PDB file of all heavy atoms in Angstrom:
ATOM      1  N   GLY J 377      88.775  15.458  -4.197  1.00 86.00           N
ATOM      2  CA  GLY J 377      87.927  16.361  -4.963  1.00 86.00           C
ATOM      3  C   GLY J 377      88.314  16.415  -6.430  1.00 86.00           C
ATOM      4  O   GLY J 377      87.463  16.354  -7.317  1.00 86.00           O
ATOM      5  N   ASP J 378      89.609  16.516  -6.696  1.00 89.00           N
ATOM      6  CA  ASP J 378      90.065  16.578  -8.084  1.00 89.00           C
ATOM      7  C   ASP J 378      89.767  15.287  -8.838  1.00 89.00           C
ATOM      8  O   ASP J 378      89.383  15.321 -10.009  1.00 89.00           O
ATOM      9  CB  ASP J 378      91.558  16.885  -8.150  1.00 89.00           C
ATOM     10  CG  ASP J 378      91.867  18.325  -7.761  1.00 89.00           C
ATOM     11  OD1 ASP J 378      90.926  19.153  -7.731  1.00 89.00           O
ATOM     12  OD2 ASP J 378      93.035  18.623  -7.484  1.00 89.00           O
ATOM     13  N   LEU J 379      89.946  14.153  -8.177  1.00 90.00           N
ATOM     14  CA  LEU J 379      89.644  12.870  -8.819  1.00 90.00           C
ATOM     15  C   LEU J 379      88.149  12.761  -9.128  1.00 90.00           C
ATOM     16  O   LEU J 379      87.756  12.337 -10.217  1.00 90.00           O
ATOM     17  CB  LEU J 379      90.094  11.709  -7.937  1.00 90.00           C
ATOM     18  CG  LEU J 379      89.811  10.313  -8.489  1.00 90.00           C
ATOM     19  CD1 LEU J 379      90.556  10.090  -9.803  1.00 90.00           C
ATOM     20  CD2 LEU J 379      90.188   9.248  -7.476  1.00 90.00           C
ATOM     21  N   ALA J 380      87.313  13.172  -8.180  1.00 89.00           N
ATOM     22  CA  ALA J 380      85.867  13.137  -8.415  1.00 89.00           C
ATOM     23  C   ALA J 380      85.486  14.058  -9.569  1.00 89.00           C
ATOM     24  O   ALA J 380      84.673  13.700 -10.424  1.00 89.00           O
ATOM     25  CB  ALA J 380      85.124  13.544  -7.143  1.00 89.00           C
ATOM     26  N   TYR J 381      86.099  15.224  -9.625  1.00 87.00           N
ATOM     27  CA  TYR J 381      85.832  16.163 -10.719  1.00 87.00           C
ATOM     28  C   TYR J 381      86.324  15.586 -12.041  1.00 87.00           C
ATOM     29  O   TYR J 381      85.643  15.655 -13.059  1.00 87.00           O
ATOM     30  CB  TYR J 381      86.502  17.502 -10.426  1.00 87.00           C
ATOM     31  CG  TYR J 381      86.133  18.580 -11.407  1.00 87.00           C
ATOM     32  CD1 TYR J 381      84.931  19.271 -11.283  1.00 87.00           C
ATOM     33  CD2 TYR J 381      86.976  18.917 -12.451  1.00 87.00           C
ATOM     34  CE1 TYR J 381      84.574  20.254 -12.175  1.00 87.00           C
ATOM     35  CE2 TYR J 381      86.629  19.904 -13.353  1.00 87.00           C
ATOM     36  CZ  TYR J 381      85.433  20.568 -13.210  1.00 87.00           C
ATOM     37  OH  TYR J 381      85.076  21.546 -14.106  1.00 87.00           O
ATOM     38  N   PHE J 382      87.505  14.992 -12.035  1.00 90.00           N
ATOM     39  CA  PHE J 382      88.113  14.404 -13.237  1.00 90.00           C
ATOM     40  C   PHE J 382      87.224  13.307 -13.821  1.00 90.00           C
ATOM     41  O   PHE J 382      87.063  13.203 -15.030  1.00 90.00           O
ATOM     42  CB  PHE J 382      89.494  13.843 -12.874  1.00 90.00           C
ATOM     43  CG  PHE J 382      90.182  13.115 -13.985  1.00 90.00           C
ATOM     44  CD1 PHE J 382      90.765  13.803 -15.037  1.00 90.00           C
ATOM     45  CD2 PHE J 382      90.258  11.727 -13.982  1.00 90.00           C
ATOM     46  CE1 PHE J 382      91.401  13.125 -16.063  1.00 90.00           C
ATOM     47  CE2 PHE J 382      90.890  11.041 -14.996  1.00 90.00           C
ATOM     48  CZ  PHE J 382      91.468  11.744 -16.045  1.00 90.00           C
ATOM     49  N   VAL J 383      86.630  12.501 -12.970  1.00 89.00           N
ATOM     50  CA  VAL J 383      85.789  11.393 -13.423  1.00 89.00           C
ATOM     51  C   VAL J 383      84.381  11.875 -13.773  1.00 89.00           C
ATOM     52  O   VAL J 383      83.811  11.462 -14.778  1.00 89.00           O
ATOM     53  CB  VAL J 383      85.728  10.287 -12.340  1.00 89.00           C
ATOM     54  CG1 VAL J 383      84.702   9.234 -12.677  1.00 89.00           C
ATOM     55  CG2 VAL J 383      87.106   9.655 -12.162  1.00 89.00           C
ATOM     56  N   SER J 384      83.817  12.755 -12.945  1.00 89.00           N
ATOM     57  CA  SER J 384      82.416  13.127 -13.129  1.00 89.00           C
ATOM     58  C   SER J 384      82.188  14.117 -14.264  1.00 89.00           C
ATOM     59  O   SER J 384      81.153  14.050 -14.934  1.00 89.00           O
ATOM     60  CB  SER J 384      81.823  13.670 -11.832  1.00 89.00           C
ATOM     61  OG  SER J 384      82.480  14.848 -11.431  1.00 89.00           O
ATOM     62  N   ALA J 385      83.112  15.027 -14.513  1.00 83.00           N
ATOM     63  CA  ALA J 385      82.887  16.039 -15.549  1.00 83.00           C
ATOM     64  C   ALA J 385      82.665  15.412 -16.932  1.00 83.00           C
ATOM     65  O   ALA J 385      81.673  15.728 -17.599  1.00 83.00           O
ATOM     66  CB  ALA J 385      84.031  17.051 -15.568  1.00 83.00           C
ATOM     67  N   PRO J 386      83.533  14.509 -17.409  1.00 86.00           N
ATOM     68  CA  PRO J 386      83.253  13.898 -18.714  1.00 86.00           C
ATOM     69  C   PRO J 386      81.982  13.053 -18.710  1.00 86.00           C
ATOM     70  O   PRO J 386      81.207  13.065 -19.667  1.00 86.00           O
ATOM     71  CB  PRO J 386      84.473  13.013 -18.982  1.00 86.00           C
ATOM     72  CG  PRO J 386      85.526  13.479 -18.064  1.00 86.00           C
ATOM     73  CD  PRO J 386      84.828  14.105 -16.890  1.00 86.00           C
ATOM     74  N   PHE J 387      81.744  12.335 -17.604  1.00 87.00           N
ATOM     75  CA  PHE J 387      80.531  11.521 -17.509  1.00 87.00           C
ATOM     76  C   PHE J 387      79.287  12.398 -17.626  1.00 87.00           C
ATOM     77  O   PHE J 387      78.337  12.065 -18.340  1.00 87.00           O
ATOM     78  CB  PHE J 387      80.514  10.744 -16.192  1.00 87.00           C
ATOM     79  CG  PHE J 387      79.224  10.032 -15.937  1.00 87.00           C
ATOM     80  CD1 PHE J 387      78.896   8.877 -16.640  1.00 87.00           C
ATOM     81  CD2 PHE J 387      78.317  10.538 -15.021  1.00 87.00           C
ATOM     82  CE1 PHE J 387      77.695   8.230 -16.414  1.00 87.00           C
ATOM     83  CE2 PHE J 387      77.107   9.898 -14.793  1.00 87.00           C
ATOM     84  CZ  PHE J 387      76.795   8.742 -15.502  1.00 87.00           C
ATOM     85  N   LEU J 388      79.282  13.527 -16.923  1.00 83.00           N
ATOM     86  CA  LEU J 388      78.133  14.429 -16.982  1.00 83.00           C
ATOM     87  C   LEU J 388      77.970  15.036 -18.367  1.00 83.00           C
ATOM     88  O   LEU J 388      76.843  15.238 -18.833  1.00 83.00           O
ATOM     89  CB  LEU J 388      78.275  15.527 -15.925  1.00 83.00           C
ATOM     90  CG  LEU J 388      78.185  15.050 -14.481  1.00 83.00           C
ATOM     91  CD1 LEU J 388      78.637  16.142 -13.532  1.00 83.00           C
ATOM     92  CD2 LEU J 388      76.772  14.599 -14.159  1.00 83.00           C
ATOM     93  N   GLY J 389      79.076  15.311 -19.042  1.00 81.00           N
ATOM     94  CA  GLY J 389      79.002  15.809 -20.416  1.00 81.00           C
ATOM     95  C   GLY J 389      78.364  14.795 -21.348  1.00 81.00           C
ATOM     96  O   GLY J 389      77.495  15.134 -22.159  1.00 81.00           O
ATOM     97  N   PHE J 390      78.781  13.536 -21.236  1.00 83.00           N
ATOM     98  CA  PHE J 390      78.173  12.480 -22.051  1.00 83.00           C
ATOM     99  C   PHE J 390      76.693  12.320 -21.710  1.00 83.00           C
ATOM    100  O   PHE J 390      75.851  12.163 -22.599  1.00 83.00           O
ATOM    101  CB  PHE J 390      78.893  11.145 -21.852  1.00 83.00           C
ATOM    102  CG  PHE J 390      80.275  11.119 -22.422  1.00 83.00           C
ATOM    103  CD1 PHE J 390      81.342  10.700 -21.639  1.00 83.00           C
ATOM    104  CD2 PHE J 390      80.530  11.515 -23.724  1.00 83.00           C
ATOM    105  CE1 PHE J 390      82.626  10.678 -22.148  1.00 83.00           C
ATOM    106  CE2 PHE J 390      81.815  11.497 -24.243  1.00 83.00           C
ATOM    107  CZ  PHE J 390      82.870  11.078 -23.456  1.00 83.00           C
ATOM    108  N   LEU J 391      76.367  12.368 -20.428  1.00 83.00           N
ATOM    109  CA  LEU J 391      74.976  12.238 -20.008  1.00 83.00           C
ATOM    110  C   LEU J 391      74.128  13.364 -20.596  1.00 83.00           C
ATOM    111  O   LEU J 391      73.013  13.128 -21.082  1.00 83.00           O
ATOM    112  CB  LEU J 391      74.898  12.238 -18.482  1.00 83.00           C
ATOM    113  CG  LEU J 391      73.537  11.989 -17.856  1.00 83.00           C
ATOM    114  CD1 LEU J 391      72.996  10.616 -18.249  1.00 83.00           C
ATOM    115  CD2 LEU J 391      73.638  12.089 -16.340  1.00 83.00           C
ATOM    116  N   ALA J 392      74.645  14.576 -20.574  1.00 77.00           N
ATOM    117  CA  ALA J 392      73.920  15.713 -21.137  1.00 77.00           C
ATOM    118  C   ALA J 392      73.746  15.560 -22.644  1.00 77.00           C
ATOM    119  O   ALA J 392      72.681  15.881 -23.190  1.00 77.00           O
ATOM    120  CB  ALA J 392      74.647  17.015 -20.814  1.00 77.00           C
ATOM    121  N   ASP J 393      74.772  15.064 -23.330  1.00 80.00           N
ATOM    122  CA  ASP J 393      74.670  14.862 -24.782  1.00 80.00           C
ATOM    123  C   ASP J 393      73.583  13.864 -25.134  1.00 80.00           C
ATOM    124  O   ASP J 393      72.869  14.025 -26.118  1.00 80.00           O
ATOM    125  CB  ASP J 393      76.001  14.391 -25.364  1.00 80.00           C
ATOM    126  CG  ASP J 393      77.001  15.512 -25.520  1.00 80.00           C
ATOM    127  OD1 ASP J 393      76.593  16.691 -25.438  1.00 80.00           O
ATOM    128  OD2 ASP J 393      78.192  15.214 -25.714  1.00 80.00           O
ATOM    129  N   PHE J 394      73.464  12.822 -24.351  1.00 81.00           N
ATOM    130  CA  PHE J 394      72.527  11.763 -24.669  1.00 81.00           C
ATOM    131  C   PHE J 394      71.135  11.967 -24.090  1.00 81.00           C
ATOM    132  O   PHE J 394      70.155  11.502 -24.642  1.00 81.00           O
ATOM    133  CB  PHE J 394      73.079  10.394 -24.221  1.00 81.00           C
ATOM    134  CG  PHE J 394      74.260   9.960 -25.020  1.00 81.00           C
ATOM    135  CD1 PHE J 394      75.511   9.900 -24.451  1.00 81.00           C
ATOM    136  CD2 PHE J 394      74.137   9.646 -26.367  1.00 81.00           C
ATOM    137  CE1 PHE J 394      76.621   9.521 -25.190  1.00 81.00           C
ATOM    138  CE2 PHE J 394      75.224   9.261 -27.134  1.00 81.00           C
ATOM    139  CZ  PHE J 394      76.470   9.206 -26.544  1.00 81.00           C
TER     140      PHE J 394
END
Side-chain angles (χ1 to χ4, degrees):
D378 288 344
L379 179 62
Y381 188 81
F382 175 75
V383 171
S384 63
F387 172 74
L388 293 168
F390 291 129
L391 185 61
D393 282 346
F394 292 111

